[in-house]
Amino acid sequence: MAALTPSIDAWLEEAKRDPQADRVGMYLTHNGVVRITPKKQVRAHTAEEEEAARALGDVHFVDFSYDEEGLARAIEEAKTWPGVYYVRVWLNEGRLAVGDSLMYVLIGADIRPHAIDALQKLVGHIKNDLVEEKEVYA
């Protein structure tokens, strides 16, 4: 069963009350959602790969899980990156339908390049190393 999704507005209000908020010049968020197009199709490098992926059909749902301890370590590590002063992550779990949120990530950093770099690095690590996604096709 999908978890209750958080409010980004509430997260931002909380972040702006954080003791280090006066160091933050930018908050950047990421909301990953289940899409109907198979991952293999959108990440295809050749026409042949794309054609093979299309044959899978549309995504009906995704079975989603993650490594809780690994996520906690990743969040703590992200707080040590240059210019990063605030990190919050929420991951969903279970059987998720198209349009359901997979994750929310909020980064607060001193300047835009630090926020963008941190968001990209953290989301990449989560997606590549900490989650398991199994697409089920219609």
Side-chain angles (χ1 to χ4, degrees):
M1 175 198 269
L4 183 63
T5 57
S7 164
I8 292 298
D9 288 335
W11 276 21
L12 284 167
E13 286 179 28
E14 180 180 307
K16 290 176 182 180
R17 291 190 306 269
D18 186 81
Q20 297 196 79
D22 60 350
R23 298 179 180 273
V24 174
M26 179 181 196
Y27 291 98
L28 195 57
T29 63
H30 167 80
N31 175 215
V33 299
V34 178
R35 69 178 169 272
I36 198 167
T37 311
K39 185 185 292 190
K40 289 180 181 181
Q41 183 178 338
V42 297
R43 298 193 192 284
H45 297 291
T46 66
E48 292 81 19
E49 288 176 351
E50 187 173 347
E51 185 66 28
R54 270 198 195 117
L56 295 170
D58 291 340
V59 172
H60 184 61
F61 58 82
V62 171
D63 286 326
F64 190 80
S65 62
Y66 66 96
D67 172 358
E68 268 186 70
E69 291 177 9
L71 179 62
R73 286 190 303 272
I75 291 168
E76 290 308 308
E77 179 187 333
K79 292 176 182 177
T80 71
W81 297 341
V84 175
Y85 294 98
Y86 192 85
V87 179
R88 186 152 182 193
V89 178
W90 170 87
L91 297 181
N92 209 338
E93 57 188 333
R95 182 160 284 184
L96 308 175
V98 172
D100 285 347
S101 290
L102 295 164
M103 74 171 70
Y104 283 107
V105 178
L106 174 63
I107 298 285
D110 54 359
I111 58 175
R112 182 173 28 91
H114 288 154
I116 291 169
D117 291 348
L119 184 71
Q120 185 167 337
K121 185 176 178 179
L122 182 56
V123 170
H125 176 52
I126 292 168
K127 293 287 288 177
N128 294 328
D129 304 318
L130 301 176
V131 303
E132 288 197 30
E133 297 176 79
K134 181 179 180 223
E135 295 178 330
V136 178
Y137 310 104

